Amino acid sequence: MAVMDATLPRARFARVDKSNGILGWLTTVDHKKIAIMYLFTTFFFFIVGGIMALLIRIQLAEPQNTFLTPEQYNQIFTMHGTTMIFLWIIPVWAGLGNYMVPLMIGARDMAFPRVNALSFWLIPLGGIVMYSGFLVPATTHAGLLCPGGPGDAGWTGYVPLTGAHYSCSMGQDLWIIGLHLLGISSMLGGINFLATIHNMRAKGMTWGRLPLFVWAQEITAALVVLASPFLASGLAMNLLDRQIGTNFFDPVNGGSALLYQFVFWFYSHPAVYIMVLPAFGIISEIIPVFSRKPIFGYKAMAASIAAIAVLGFIVFVHHMFVTGLPLVVQTFFAFTTFVIGVPTGVKIFSWLATMWGGSIKYDTPMLFACGFLLMFLIGGIDGVYLGSLAVDRLVHGTYWVVAHIHYVLFGGSVFGVFAAFYYWFPKVTGRFLNEKLGKLHFWLMFIGMNLTFLPMHALGLLGMPRRIATYLDNRGWGDINSLITFGAFVIAISITVFMINFVISMRAPKTAPDDPWEGNTLEWATSSPPPAWNFDEEQEVLSLRPVRDKRMARKKASAGAPA
Ligand code: HEM
Ligand SMILES: [Cu+2]
């Protein structure tokens, strides 16, 4: 059991934190300040990705629309998907983890503070490199017009679409290099989380007393470290194919396009869990606190996260059912895909059992947690359909898949992120987000999300392919698409409400106490916001709910004290 170094001079942390000027922020190695920079940067990219989603939806609102050219459409949906995944969801969890993991385990910082700063700075750098593709001008290439612009081969960067023969713009190279930088950032972050959680837990915090959010970050970090090298190597080989004429993937030169898919999905299925396990973690913190009950089945909850992570490595071929692999291989991966539903079911059951009979308080964090449960359940179920070989042949590459990704990533990950924002806002800022606006935000987002993504299932069954820039009006897809576009704007309004709430709340006085929700875990044992050195005293942990233990002891003492 690792013990925190209690002798570390507080002055050192105070000095590190002294400067709040621009230079102080640019040079900080404090995990909390780094986390805040993570949160602002990734939220910025969320807005950019969201604006691109609206552009997509305006283009598709009616048949034969000419709002975007087909080339622009390809670029916009590529940059939308890539931004949402690599510049928003994955790094926003790294940001929240950065703030909270050291606090929740009673540590003073991350294990490698300077590496931590590097992880952060690689994100704006990767984003700038990727987005600079928008500046690449049109050229003539071997007598053909090359339209320029950023990457346009989808977030998956499939070969041959990214082969030099098909994707001539240098924007595609910038996309690859930018993504590479983002991959390095998350690898460094993953190593840092592992080192921190393994070595810097407070006295008494055994693995059996680790908060579930920290469990989720631990396993997410392991996935990042094990899986990201596959993305990195796929991207590197792709870049070599494009730039120096190697023949890994491009079939025109005798390479194997299927090989790219294997390498890519060996990373990208686990990446789905990199995006959603931390949401499982935060939901597992919020539901017990707002139900006033201990989490149901703690051990099963931790074990099921680990099981999902292991199984997550052997389901990836379900993305490739239509590539003509041997049937026995397909059947194996269909089977594993169904099996991964079991640990996921254990989690859903345990969350519901935690709420069962509890005195539930529907504050905004809890609303988002409940929204997560419902939406992620739909995303899980329409995913099981995709796991069936017969059904996948029908709906592969249609809007059914777009519906599925968004129920998982928007209904799951994004709802989880907002649950975390509302839950931890008082800890980070010393202020509350306004409850009325928070509830308005929730309901608009919940309704907008279902208006947008539920009808996409129908579009998929009607045969509308994904990644098409427009469609003929005799298809009968127009009305559903108009409804979807309306829903997208409802989501946009909900996010605007959140931003207004943020601005208003930041101007309000600091009234949040240390432990506003009557929490369980150590981040509530220090002040709101915490001092640079995190804790005035060294923490000792005797159970899964150390802060509740102390609160109960205090209540008992004051009840027993003579009046
Ligand atoms: C306002 C909310 C959003 C709307 C209206 C929206 C809309 C869309 C649409 C219509 C497509 C399909 C484009 C096509 O295939 O032609 C798409 C693709 C995609 N979206 Fe979203 N989206 C939203 C939010 C998100 C979020 C939050 C994430 C992830 C965290 C996300 C991840 C993706 C991905 C990965 C793709 C696939 C891109 C590709 O095919 O390469 N989206 N989105
Ligand atoms: Cu998958």
Side-chain angles (χ1 to χ4, degrees):
M1 163 89 309
V3 176
M4 178 171 67
D5 181 1
T7 59
L8 268 182
R10 188 182 293 183
R12 202 186 104 198
F13 286 90
R15 194 179 64 236
V16 166
D17 193 48
K18 210 151 84 200
S19 166
N20 268 317
I22 299 259
L23 204 63
W25 281 90
L26 293 183
T27 58
T28 188
V29 292
D30 174 15
H31 72 103
K32 298 182 288 303
K33 281 186 166 176
I34 291 176
I36 288 171
M37 294 196 291
Y38 258 104
L39 297 177
F40 274 101
T41 310
T42 54
F43 194 82
F44 168 78
F45 281 114
F46 176 50
I47 299 302
V48 176
I51 291 171
M52 289 192 284
L54 294 180
L55 297 179
I56 295 175
R57 284 318 318 170
I58 294 171
Q59 166 63 18
L60 294 178
E62 48 184 56
Q64 286 162 301
N65 202 355
T66 51
F67 175 70
L68 297 174
T69 64
E71 287 81 17
Q72 284 170 334
Y73 186 85
N74 288 349
Q75 296 168 352
I76 297 289
F77 83 69
T78 298
M79 293 303 281
H80 161 73
T82 316
T83 301
M84 287 298 193
I85 287 183
F86 296 105
L87 288 162
W88 159 241
I89 287 296
I90 294 182
V92 78
W93 284 127
L96 284 163
N98 233 300
Y99 203 103
M100 290 303 161
V101 165
L103 288 173
M104 291 175 101
I105 62 172
R108 293 213 151 105
D109 205 322
M110 295 284 282
F112 310 117
R114 285 182 178 78
V115 174
N116 202 20
L118 179 61
S119 299
F120 165 70
W121 286 105
L122 283 170
I123 289 171
L125 183 66
I128 289 170
V129 169
M130 191 179 271
Y131 270 80
S132 59
F134 276 102
L135 304 176
V136 175
T139 49
T140 350
H141 186 76
L144 294 169
L145 179 74
C146 177
D152 60 358
W155 81 277
T156 48
Y158 269 9
V159 188
L161 292 179
T162 49
H165 294 86
Y166 297 84
S167 185
C168 51
S169 169
M170 200 177 71
Q172 190 64 47
D173 300 290
L174 293 168
W175 182 89
I176 293 173
I177 297 169
L179 200 49
H180 231 308
L181 292 168
L182 297 173
I184 296 171
S185 157
S186 45
M187 287 275 291
L188 293 174
I191 293 168
N192 216 342
F193 278 120
L194 289 175
T196 308
I197 298 169
H198 280 256
N199 297 313
M200 294 166 68
R201 280 170 287 136
K203 205 158 134 191
M205 185 171 281
T206 56
W207 289 103
R209 293 177 188 158
L210 200 64
L212 283 168
F213 180 74
V214 182
W215 263 117
Q217 286 283 347
E218 155 86 15
I219 293 179
T220 303
L223 282 178
V224 164
V225 172
L226 293 172
S228 304
F230 289 85
L231 177 67
S233 49
L235 292 174
M237 288 187 272
N238 195 347
L239 192 64
L240 293 177
D241 274 7
R242 287 175 61 83
Q243 291 298 329
I244 62 166
T246 53
N247 289 333
F248 291 107
F249 302 135
D250 199 335
V252 172
N253 299 323
S256 163
L258 207 54
L259 176 64
Y260 177 81
Q261 295 196 18
F262 273 112
V263 178
F264 179 80
W265 286 111
F266 197 76
Y267 162 77
S268 282
H269 189 87
V272 174
Y273 292 106
I274 293 171
M275 291 179 254
V276 87
L277 290 185
F280 288 180
I282 178 63
I283 300 307
S284 307
E285 300 297 338
I286 289 175
I287 287 182
V289 169
F290 289 88
S291 306
R292 323 281 344 131
K293 275 179 64 191
I295 187 87
F296 180 89
Y298 168 82
K299 281 192 183 143
M301 285 299 243
S304 58
I305 304 185
I308 289 172
V310 173
L311 285 169
F313 276 103
I314 49 168
V315 298
F316 65 102
V317 171
H318 62 204
H319 297 276
M320 302 165 60
F321 283 157
V322 296
T323 57
L325 294 169
L327 198 59
V328 50
V329 175
Q330 296 185 37
T331 312
F332 172 79
F333 282 95
F335 176 73
T336 53
T337 302
F338 294 145
V339 170
I340 211 166
V342 175
T344 316
V346 167
K347 305 200 76 71
I348 302 235
F349 174 78
S350 302
W351 288 318
L352 293 179
T354 308
M355 289 166 70
W356 189 267
S359 45
I360 301 176
K361 287 194 296 182
Y362 287 103
D363 292 317
T364 313
M366 186 63 173
L367 281 182
F368 276 98
C370 294
F372 168 93
L373 276 183
L374 285 170
M375 297 297 95
F376 187 75
L377 187 62
I378 297 183
I381 291 173
D382 61 22
V384 174
Y385 280 80
L386 288 170
S388 147
L389 294 182
V391 179
D392 187 65
R393 272 162 182 62
L394 290 176
V395 294
H396 183 87
T398 70
Y399 262 78
W400 182 283
V401 176
V402 182
H404 165 67
I405 354 181
H406 289 87
Y407 267 94
V408 177
L409 292 181
F410 198 112
S413 310
V414 176
F415 272 66
V417 169
F418 280 114
F421 280 179
Y422 281 91
Y423 183 58
W424 280 324
F425 192 81
K427 179 54 57 186
V428 176
T429 65
R431 303 167 166 98
F432 288 101
L433 281 165
N434 180 294
E435 269 294 308
K436 278 206 181 104
L437 287 174
K439 292 200 165 108
L440 182 65
H441 167 199
F442 169 78
W443 285 110
L444 284 173
M445 198 162 116
F446 187 79
I447 293 168
M449 133 115 222
N450 286 295
L451 281 177
T452 309
F453 301 117
L454 203 61
M456 286 188 187
H457 292 100
L459 274 185
L461 294 177
L462 290 174
M464 177 163 165
R466 65 193 278 211
R467 297 179 171 176
I468 53 168
T470 191
Y471 49 93
L472 292 174
D473 52 10
N474 62 9
R475 293 291 186 149
W477 300 333
D479 291 346
I480 303 182
N481 270 301
S482 310
L483 174 67
I484 292 177
T485 301
F486 172 73
F489 278 90
V490 176
I491 298 180
I493 295 172
S494 77
I495 305 296
T496 314
V497 171
F498 171 74
M499 292 196 286
I500 294 173
N501 194 354
F502 177 82
V503 173
I504 293 181
S505 305
M506 285 308 285
R507 288 167 171 217
K510 290 193 182 189
T511 53
D514 296 355
D515 182 17
W517 314 115
E518 305 209 314
N520 295 326
T521 37
L522 284 181
E523 76 273 29
W524 307 110
T526 183
S527 62
S528 302
W533 50 91
N534 287 355
F535 297 98
D536 283 333
E537 303 139 24
E538 194 179 338
Q539 299 297 311
E540 193 173 348
V541 176
L542 300 172
S543 81
L544 189 57
R545 301 192 283 170
V547 170
R548 182 178 183 274
D549 293 346
K550 279 194 197 145
R551 190 167 54 241
M552 288 305 167
R554 266 200 312 276
K555 275 192 186 155
K556 222 173 179 178
S558 62

